[in-house]
Amino acid sequence: MRIIADVILRETDRVEVTCLVDNQVDLLLANTQVAHRPSMRESWYERPPIAEHGFSVSVTLEISGTKRRILFDSGQSPWTANYNVDALDFDLSYCEAVILSHGHVDHAGGLLMIRKKMTAQSIPLIAHEHAFRSRLFKFPDGKILNLPTPNKPLLVQAGYQIVEKNHPSLWIDDRILVTGEIPRTNNFENGLPDHYSEKDGKMESDPLIKDDQAIILNIKDKGLVIVTGCGHAGIVNTLNYAKKLTDEDRIYAVMGGMHLTGGIFEQIIPKTVDELEKHKPKFIIPCHCSGLKVTNEIAKRMPTALIQNSVGTNYVF
């Protein structure tokens, strides 16, 4: 493998990605080659997994006979991820790092409560420095949606060691690569219009959301598994950067938000799916903010690659 910025991502024999928070729950979905749906207890209806507008997954690797686990994002509300961990009987006690895809509340809102599930005295929280900026979104009709920033003092008090990295970094025995800031290299993935961030005490236009980052794993004999939060950098930019960082051309699975829902992004869906087809992913798992229209387009063009996500699904790659 090639070195870029002193980064060498080691191969992994097997990885599991478990969805703890997403926008949908479907308890009737069938298992697939890689997607294992949760087994419901006899009294499943008393504590079923729940959905919300947010995203969170756990990544588990087995290295030298030991399971290693991290959390990627934490959902929107303070309690949903925490609740779903209990509903799914999922063990986060030995989680050893939390990676934040970006600072928006639908990914960072559950950080404080989910920390209580982890037993380590100090847990690294890896984020881009812009993740802690105050943000807002202005709708075309003039309405303003405030996006509260993660509270650094409270996070530190909860036992997080905040690690601000804007560039690629390796974690868990060099098996998980955090991209850091993703270069914007094409002419159609231009970020989120009408998004603003606070800089020097003033709210300024910030369509690029530079703190957006993804995680990458390299599965032996298969290729890359790439997990995004919202994909504000653009899913195509993200895949291109993942290939550049790792010098690996095969993409085995793409999972996460692609932020293609809503009228603003509909015009770039055909181009996006055109480019996705060129990457030839074995599996595509749209989540969270991807949207029904791009999911339908992927289903038409790459039906064998598409997997419908649902909270509680465990993917074995």
Side-chain angles (χ1 to χ4, degrees):
M1 286 175 285
R2 184 161 53 113
I3 299 176
I4 293 182
D6 298 322
V7 169
I8 303 178
L9 177 63
R10 299 178 66 185
E11 290 182 334
T12 300
D13 291 330
R14 181 177 183 270
V15 64
E16 297 184 24
V17 180
T18 306
C19 181
L20 301 177
V21 180
D22 194 17
N23 291 37
Q24 65 174 351
V25 171
D26 187 341
L27 299 181
L28 301 181
L29 290 175
N31 293 332
T32 74
Q33 177 185 346
V34 299
H36 302 266
R37 310 302 182 177
S39 299
M40 294 293 104
R41 311 182 189 92
E42 184 176 347
S43 57
W44 62 270
Y45 47 85
E46 295 177 355
R47 182 178 274 188
I50 59 177
E52 70 173 12
H53 182 81
F55 189 64
S56 175
V57 298
S58 179
V59 179
T60 308
L61 306 90
E62 188 168 324
I63 302 173
S64 301
T66 301
K67 284 190 174 183
R68 310 283 297 276
R69 181 163 282 175
I70 65 99
L71 184 71
F72 181 67
D73 287 348
S74 65
Q76 176 178 187
S77 72
W79 55 82
T80 299
N82 190 72
Y83 169 90
N84 282 340
V85 164
D86 289 338
L88 298 166
D89 289 327
F90 191 79
D91 185 7
L92 269 181
S93 63
Y94 61 96
C95 179
E96 54 190 283
V98 177
I99 299 163
L100 189 59
S101 67
H102 63 301
H104 285 168
V105 68
D106 48 334
H107 300 259
L111 285 174
L112 290 175
M113 191 168 286
I114 201 67
R115 178 65 180 88
K116 298 175 182 178
K117 299 294 186 186
M118 309 168 197
T119 57
Q121 186 173 0
S122 179
I123 295 282
L125 173 60
I126 301 101
H128 188 287
E129 64 180 353
H130 286 194
F132 299 98
R133 288 183 170 186
S134 294
R135 269 96 175 252
L136 59 83
F137 179 78
K138 294 182 180 180
F139 289 95
D141 62 3
K143 293 180 180 179
I144 293 178
L145 178 69
N146 288 309
L147 300 168
T149 182
N151 189 308
K152 274 189 182 181
L154 287 180
L155 292 171
V156 171
Q157 184 178 342
Y160 286 113
Q161 174 195 355
I162 296 176
V163 181
E164 294 184 6
K165 285 188 174 291
N166 300 353
H167 302 291
S169 61
L170 290 164
W171 300 86
I172 315 300
D173 198 25
D174 294 347
R175 314 286 178 129
I176 295 179
L177 173 58
V178 181
T179 63
E181 190 172 319
I182 297 169
R184 317 302 169 92
T185 56
N186 62 46
N187 62 2
F188 64 95
E189 293 178 316
N190 298 315
L192 182 62
D194 299 321
H195 177 269
Y196 291 77
S197 291
E198 185 178 12
K199 183 180 180 182
D200 300 327
K202 297 180 179 179
M203 298 303 293
E204 297 183 352
S205 178
D206 178 24
L208 295 185
I209 313 176
K210 291 185 176 181
D211 52 318
D212 181 83
Q213 56 186 6
I215 56 174
I216 308 168
L217 300 103
N218 192 1
I219 312 302
K220 186 176 180 181
D221 300 325
K222 294 177 179 178
L224 302 180
V225 170
I226 300 158
V227 185
T228 65
C230 264
H232 288 296
I235 191 63
V236 177
N237 281 329
T238 301
L239 299 189
N240 288 337
Y241 192 47
K243 287 184 174 183
K244 182 178 179 181
L245 285 174
T246 61
D247 200 27
E248 171 59 70
D249 193 57
R250 297 170 300 170
I251 294 181
Y252 189 64
V254 181
M255 177 181 181
M258 302 180 190
H259 217 287
L260 291 166
T261 190
I264 294 174
F265 296 98
E266 289 178 5
Q267 61 184 339
I268 70 168
I269 287 175
K271 179 64 174 177
T272 299
V273 179
D274 285 346
E275 295 300 314
L276 280 175
E277 279 191 291
K278 294 177 184 178
H279 284 289
K280 300 179 181 178
K282 177 76 173 176
F283 301 108
I284 303 178
I285 308 160
C287 303
H288 182 40
C289 55
S290 297
L292 182 61
K293 290 189 176 182
V294 74
T295 301
N296 286 341
E297 190 66 21
I298 293 169
K300 290 178 186 176
R301 300 213 223 161
M302 295 174 277
T304 61
L306 179 69
I307 301 177
Q308 182 180 340
N309 189 45
S310 176
V311 173
T313 302
N314 185 54
Y315 297 91
V316 180
F317 299 123

